[in-house]
Amino acid sequence: MTAAVLITGTSSGIGRATARRLAGHPGLTVYATARRAESMTDLAGAGVRTLALDVTDEKSMRAAVALVEAEHGAVGALVNNAGYGEYGTIEEADLDSVRRQFETNVFGLARMTQLVLPSMRAAGRGRIVNVGSMGGRLVFPAGGYYHASKYAVEALTDALRFETASFGIKVSLIEPGLIRTGFGATAAHTLAGSAAPSGPYAALNAAADEKMARSYRSTLLSAPPEAVAKVIEDAVTAIRPRTRYLVTPAAKVLVHTRRLLGARAFDAYLRRQGWGAE
């Protein structure tokens, strides 16, 4: 059983739900982090340690890891949860915004991993849990850059799992489907700001916006963040955690549908589902 659990991106959604769930485990000290410590005052009241941590700032990341290592010798489990969706078509999306997304979703995750590994190797044990997405295994229109960041997390996790196994470090990937957090609203906002309403992709963007809004409202297609927190709990505490956890029944159906149909047939499936004109 690990002792110190460091979670990134706990100001809301999956990260917050995970911090609350793990806080109830005896023997675990949970460190919840976000850019603004004041956004986590309720977690502090629930017995969770809170730290300011920005996964795009080197000094901030080093300070948080150093504090946990000073108190526990090593980070027992790192949950790389910080991330968001920057939506827009490949042609129209602002690349500076895309770069910022990759700094959080990919390079922040990678750097946090690099920082905790030396002490984990020295201890001969550790857990790294990367929160990816079903969007790392299939792609929806107007989300290519977000999906690219999650495909990158898939690749990094697969390599990391093999590289660190001999040091007693277990690595798991969490692949949530649609989760009812602020993610959908953020994605819709970036999509709306990525192109002019009368642009060449106006119809596609409108269809994507409508589909996202409807899907996130559906209790059949989406799930609350607590569903992901329960899975992360298993990845952190199980003796033999799984390498991958695909979360929500709808996500499992979509991922396997994409695998079985292939690219052209899946494109046709998306069109029939209302994701844009022929």
Side-chain angles (χ1 to χ4, degrees):
M1 177 69 70
T2 55
V5 182
L6 178 61
I7 311 170
T8 65
T10 65
S11 62
S12 63
I14 292 170
R16 181 177 293 263
T18 300
R20 284 189 170 279
R21 187 172 187 93
L22 292 180
H25 275 271
L28 290 184
T29 301
V30 178
Y31 292 81
T33 71
R35 289 179 177 177
R36 296 181 297 105
E38 60 269 23
S39 68
M40 302 177 288
T41 53
D42 61 316
L43 292 179
V48 175
R49 298 284 302 276
T50 60
L51 299 172
L53 190 162
D54 181 349
V55 298
T56 66
D57 180 79
E58 176 73 12
K59 182 178 179 181
S60 173
M61 290 185 282
R62 283 184 174 274
V65 172
L67 186 148
V68 176
E69 290 178 345
E71 296 183 355
H72 296 271
V75 173
L78 170 66
V79 180
N80 279 312
N81 170 71
Y84 68 97
E86 185 72 37
Y87 272 60
T89 64
I90 301 303
E91 180 179 350
E92 295 175 317
D94 175 66
L95 287 181
D96 285 338
S97 297
V98 171
R99 290 184 184 98
R100 285 192 293 271
Q101 177 180 226
F102 269 74
E103 283 293 338
T104 296
N105 293 9
V106 181
F107 299 117
L109 174 150
R111 185 57 179 145
M112 286 297 299
T113 300
Q114 288 180 334
L115 290 171
V116 303
L117 278 175
S119 64
M120 284 186 177
R121 284 191 292 100
R125 63 183 182 276
R127 302 286 173 95
I128 295 177
V129 180
N130 290 335
V131 179
S133 170
M134 74 170 180
R137 296 172 70 178
L138 55 85
V139 177
F140 292 124
Y145 290 112
Y146 167 72
H147 287 278
S149 75
K150 292 304 183 179
Y151 270 66
V153 170
E154 295 263 338
L156 292 173
T157 304
D158 279 343
L160 181 68
R161 184 180 63 252
F162 190 91
E163 292 167 359
T164 60
S166 64
F167 302 110
I169 298 166
K170 296 179 173 63
V171 179
S172 296
L173 177 66
I174 312 298
E175 300 171 309
L178 301 179
I179 305 300
R180 295 190 291 275
T181 64
F183 178 92
T186 300
H189 175 74
T190 60
L191 177 61
S194 68
S198 59
Y201 301 98
L204 187 151
N205 286 334
D209 185 48
E210 189 275 333
K211 284 292 293 182
M212 280 195 296
R214 188 195 311 169
S215 297
Y216 275 99
R217 287 195 303 266
S218 170
T219 56
L220 180 64
L221 297 177
S222 65
E226 288 75 19
V228 187
K230 182 178 180 181
V231 170
I232 293 175
E233 175 186 33
D234 185 73
V236 169
T237 62
I239 295 174
R240 293 190 63 188
R242 291 161 53 187
T243 59
R244 272 178 168 77
Y245 295 82
L246 188 56
V247 188
T248 82
K252 294 175 183 178
V253 169
L254 279 168
V255 167
H256 293 304
T257 297
R258 171 63 182 86
R259 178 176 59 85
L260 292 171
L261 290 181
R264 291 185 184 276
F266 191 72
D267 286 354
Y269 166 80
L270 290 177
R271 292 188 183 99
R272 286 196 298 269
Q273 294 297 312
W275 282 90
E278 294 284 347

